[in-house]
């Protein structure tokens, strides 16, 4: 099993920045690709960003491309989401997830951290 704990959420004004962190424990962290997802009130969970197990490949939703950056530090068992130029529509609970390399599914999820962007 892999346990994930997010942190770094909070309340910011539009145009501000936040850096989310996700610390993993349990199985070998470097085996897993990592992703960030978010869910706004009344909305479906949506994909935000992903990074390969080595950190060499990243992918972003169009809505955040150019504003958000996903990264990881395998030595620290931590993934990050740097969020710049925040907009009110970015308001959501943000979750990190680890992709099971056997099932090729995001099987492990953190508890979420709230990001609120005021206008």
């Amino acid at each position: 099993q892999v346990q994930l704990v997010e942190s770094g959420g909070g309340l910011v004004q539009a145009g501000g920045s936040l850096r989310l962190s996700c610390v993993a424990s349990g199985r070998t962290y470097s085996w897993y690709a990592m992703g960030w997802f978010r869910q706004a009130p009344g909305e479906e969970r949506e994909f935000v960003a992903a990074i390969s197990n080595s950190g060499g490949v990243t992918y972003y939703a169009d809505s955040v491309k150019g504003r958000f950056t996903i990264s990881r530090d395998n030595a620290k068992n931590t993934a990050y989401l740097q969020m710049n130029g925040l907009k009110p529509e970015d308001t959501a609970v943000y979750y990190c997830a680890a992709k099971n390399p056997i099932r090729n599914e995001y099987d492990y999820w953190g508890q979420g951290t709230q990001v609120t962007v005021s206008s």
Side-chain angles (χ1 to χ4, degrees):
Q1 290 292 302
V2 175
Q3 294 80 46
L4 305 174
V5 179
E6 304 99 328
S7 62
L11 173 64
V12 297
Q13 291 186 325
S17 298
L18 285 172
R19 188 195 195 205
L20 307 184
S21 299
C22 174
V23 179
S25 62
R27 306 290 190 189
T28 302
Y29 172 73
S30 61
W31 289 355
Y32 301 96
M34 298 293 296
W36 286 95
F37 297 78
R38 67 187 182 187
Q39 187 168 20
E43 303 288 338
E44 296 285 321
R45 182 185 65 194
E46 66 175 348
F47 168 79
V48 175
I51 188 166
S52 63
N53 56 1
S54 69
V57 180
T58 59
Y59 188 76
Y60 298 92
D62 287 343
S63 59
V64 306
K65 190 175 297 183
R67 299 187 297 122
F68 292 7
T69 302
I70 188 171
S71 62
R72 67 191 295 160
D73 185 341
N74 287 349
K76 297 181 179 179
N77 286 358
T78 303
Y80 305 94
L81 186 68
Q82 179 66 48
M83 309 164 66
N84 298 328
L86 284 163
K87 305 174 181 179
E89 52 262 45
D90 295 319
T91 295
V93 177
Y94 283 71
Y95 300 90
C96 67
K99 196 171 191 177
N100 187 326
I102 304 302
R103 288 171 35 86
N104 199 35
E105 299 286 348
Y106 288 102
D107 280 348
Y108 310 105
W109 295 82
Q111 84 289 348
T113 185
Q114 176 71 46
V115 172
T116 302
V117 184
S118 62
S119 60

